[in-house]
């Protein structure tokens, strides 16, 4: 692109000169144009009416020289050198530069042997100097020189003037390129749609996975809570019947045994004054016996057998002292003989000691 921009002003300059000259005077314009170091396109000059008028005249040789530089090569000049005027050194250099551009149109890897043959060069050093100094530095081509494999790999080459019949093939090439570009665009669009679809599926899958993780977390949390509550329930005292230390812990068989043991003792104590003594003795024995019973059977809450036995016997003196305290209190209330009350208390304590194993066996 740079070389095309550079030679635009040069082309305009020679087009004006060619338009101002006619006949043999155009010969100097053609020589100057084909020798200019920055001019490599000649179609615009060929299209000038005064240049086209040279066809079929004595000065048509100038037109053929201009056509040679527009479309020909150094080999073409050598084949037709008898019909064309002698070229000056600058024209020879220009024509060899254009020959490299023509070769680069069809091949991207040019062997040294082919280049030496087409450019009429005798050694590799001369060929490489020409390619580097006169072609690459001039901006005509870009590429790599491989001395080991003896070839020139073309990466870029400037365009030459189109020859007759070359426009159709160029249009076909561009049409093929356009079709390939359209197919590539369709493929890219399909890939974009596929990528969008896969992205949506990935988002959906990720959402489902996150929901499943949350459900599992909730389930694990519920199980952990249930396990903790179960452990707490196991640590709690057994439900159902209240501990034997509570007055609501009495079963019906306790009350029946209590009455069965009380009645003879009450009748015995009531033998002097039957009604009053019976009533007083019944109330007294109910309080003393019940208090001793509750204190002693408090050990029944303990699950371990050894601890239950130790606990029960430790509570025996506690129950006895509790009963003595009640004897003193209720002795003054009932105006009974102190020694008689002690005897009654000992009887109640003895009945309690007998009743406890009975209850333990029933439990």
């Amino acid at each position: 692109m740079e070389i095309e921009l550079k030679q635009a002003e040069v082309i305009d300059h020679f087009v004006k000169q060619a338009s101002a000259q006619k006949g043999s005077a155009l010969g100097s314009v053609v020589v100057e144009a084909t020798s200019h170091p920055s001019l490599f396109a000649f179609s615009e000059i060929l299209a000038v009416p005064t240049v086209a008028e040279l066809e079929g005249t004595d000065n048509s040789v100038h037109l053929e020289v201009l056509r040679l530089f527009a479309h020909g090569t150094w080999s073409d000049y050598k084949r037709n050198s008898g019909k064309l005027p002698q070229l000056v050194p600058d024209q020879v250099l220009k024509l060899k530069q254009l020959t490299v551009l023509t070769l680069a149109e069809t091949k991207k890897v040019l062997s040294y042997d082919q280049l030496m043959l087409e450019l009429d060069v005798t050694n590799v050093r001369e060929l490489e100097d020409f390619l580097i100094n006169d072609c690459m530095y001039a901006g005509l081509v870009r590429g790599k020189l491989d001395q080991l494999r003896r070839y020139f790999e073309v990466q870029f080459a400037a365009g030459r003037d189109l020859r007759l019949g070359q426009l159709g093939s160029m249009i076909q090439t561009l049409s093929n390129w356009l079709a390939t570009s359209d197919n590539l665009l369709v493929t890219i669009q399909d890939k974009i749609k596929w990528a969008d679809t896969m992205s949506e599926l990935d988002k959906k899958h990720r959402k489902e996975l996150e929901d499943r993780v949350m459900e599992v977390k909730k389930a694990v949390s519920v199980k952990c809570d249930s396990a903790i509550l179960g452990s707490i329930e196991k640590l709690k005292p057994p439900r159902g019947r209240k501990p034997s230390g509570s007055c609501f812990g009495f079963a019906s068989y306790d009350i029946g045994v209590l009455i069965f043991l009380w009645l003879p003792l009450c009748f015995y104590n009531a033998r002097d004054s039957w009604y009053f003594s019976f009533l007083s003795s019944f109330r007294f024995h109910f309080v003393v016996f019940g208090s001793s019973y509750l204190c002693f059977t408090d050990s029944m809450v303990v699950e371990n057998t050894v601890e239950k036995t130790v606990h029960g016997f430790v509570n025996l003196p506690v129950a006895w002292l509790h009963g003595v305290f009640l004897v003193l209190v209720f002795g003054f209330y009932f105006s009974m003989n102190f020694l008689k009350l002690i005897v009654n208390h000992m009887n109640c304590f003895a009945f309690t000691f007998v009743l406890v194993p009975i209850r333990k066996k029933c439990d």
Side-chain angles (χ1 to χ4, degrees):
M1 290 295 294
E2 294 181 2
I3 190 170
E4 285 83 355
L5 295 175
K6 289 181 180 179
Q7 64 184 351
E9 295 181 359
V10 179
I11 292 173
D12 186 60
H13 169 71
F14 284 109
V15 167
K16 292 179 179 178
Q17 279 192 348
S19 300
Q21 303 293 333
K22 288 185 179 182
S24 59
L26 289 173
S28 60
V29 177
V30 171
V31 173
E32 186 180 357
T34 54
S35 302
H36 196 283
S38 300
L39 183 61
F40 298 92
F42 306 94
S43 296
E44 290 81 355
I45 301 175
L46 286 171
V48 175
T50 56
V51 175
E53 292 174 358
L54 295 175
E55 183 74 33
T57 64
D58 296 336
N59 299 312
S60 62
V61 64
H62 303 300
L63 179 62
E64 295 299 328
V65 171
L66 198 57
R67 286 175 178 172
L68 175 65
F69 278 84
H71 309 296
T73 63
W74 176 251
S75 297
D76 296 333
Y77 173 74
K78 289 193 298 181
R79 285 193 299 267
N80 301 291
S81 59
K83 301 177 183 180
L84 298 172
Q86 184 72 29
L87 300 180
V88 298
D90 290 339
Q91 288 178 312
V92 173
L93 176 63
K94 175 64 68 62
L95 190 56
K96 288 184 178 181
Q97 290 174 323
L98 295 172
T99 301
V100 174
L101 295 180
T102 301
L103 294 174
E105 288 179 358
T106 56
K107 292 182 180 180
K108 294 304 178 183
V109 178
L110 304 175
S111 66
Y112 279 7
D113 295 335
Q114 182 183 9
L115 289 171
M116 292 170 65
L117 180 63
E118 293 290 338
L119 299 175
D120 199 13
V121 177
T122 58
N123 57 72
V124 175
R125 179 62 181 273
E126 184 181 357
L127 173 64
E128 290 181 345
D129 289 343
F130 171 75
L131 292 174
I132 294 172
N133 298 324
D134 298 324
C135 295
M136 292 187 184
Y137 287 169
L140 295 175
V141 293
R142 288 195 300 268
K144 295 180 180 179
L145 296 172
D146 193 332
Q147 293 180 341
L148 181 62
R149 295 172 180 160
R150 294 174 58 86
Y151 66 75
F152 173 54
E153 182 180 356
V154 181
Q155 296 176 344
F156 163 79
R160 292 193 64 181
D161 296 312
L162 292 176
R163 293 183 294 272
L164 296 177
Q166 195 177 17
L167 185 59
S169 61
M170 181 175 289
I171 293 175
Q172 183 63 39
T173 302
L174 292 175
S175 300
N176 295 336
W177 177 83
L178 181 61
T180 303
S181 300
D182 291 338
N183 294 333
L184 182 60
L185 182 60
V186 172
T187 303
I188 292 174
Q189 290 176 348
D190 293 339
K191 292 294 183 181
I192 292 174
K193 291 181 181 179
W194 176 82
D196 292 340
T197 303
M198 294 302 297
S199 177
E200 293 296 329
L201 291 176
D202 182 67
K203 290 181 181 178
K204 184 177 179 181
H205 176 70
R206 186 176 302 177
K207 182 66 170 57
E208 293 176 355
L209 185 61
E210 291 177 355
D211 293 342
R212 289 184 61 186
V213 169
M214 292 300 297
E215 291 177 0
V216 171
K217 287 183 178 180
K218 290 180 181 179
V220 171
S221 177
V222 170
K223 288 184 179 180
C224 290
D225 293 343
S226 301
I228 293 173
L229 291 177
S231 301
I232 295 175
E233 290 296 331
K234 289 181 180 179
L235 295 176
K236 288 182 178 180
R239 295 182 179 180
R241 180 179 55 83
K242 294 198 176 283
S244 53
S246 172
C247 62
F248 295 101
F250 283 108
S252 57
Y253 57 82
D254 293 333
I255 299 176
V257 173
L258 185 65
I259 295 175
F260 178 76
L261 293 176
W262 276 348
L263 286 178
L265 188 61
C266 290
F267 278 109
Y268 174 78
N269 293 329
R271 62 185 182 275
D272 296 331
S273 178
W274 186 84
Y275 179 75
F276 179 76
S277 296
F278 172 77
L279 208 55
S280 301
S281 177
F282 183 84
R283 292 169 60 189
F284 170 76
H285 283 87
F286 180 81
V287 175
V288 175
F289 181 80
S291 174
S292 302
Y293 180 80
L294 292 177
C295 290
F296 185 75
T297 55
D298 182 62
S299 62
M300 294 300 104
V301 210
V302 184
E303 294 292 336
N304 187 280
T305 305
V306 177
E307 293 182 4
K308 182 183 296 185
T309 305
V310 173
H311 193 190
F313 279 99
V314 169
N315 277 337
L316 281 176
V318 176
W320 190 82
L321 292 174
H322 188 263
V324 169
F325 174 75
L326 293 177
V327 165
L328 295 175
V329 173
F330 284 95
F332 292 103
Y333 176 74
F334 291 111
S335 300
M336 298 179 67
N337 184 273
F338 181 76
L339 181 60
K340 187 176 181 180
L341 290 175
I342 293 295
V343 171
N344 289 334
H345 172 62
M346 295 302 296
N347 292 336
C348 293
F349 188 78
F351 292 148
T352 303
F353 185 75
V354 173
L355 185 59
V356 169
I358 297 175
R359 179 172 183 180
K360 178 180 177 182
K361 184 177 180 180
C362 295
D363 289 340

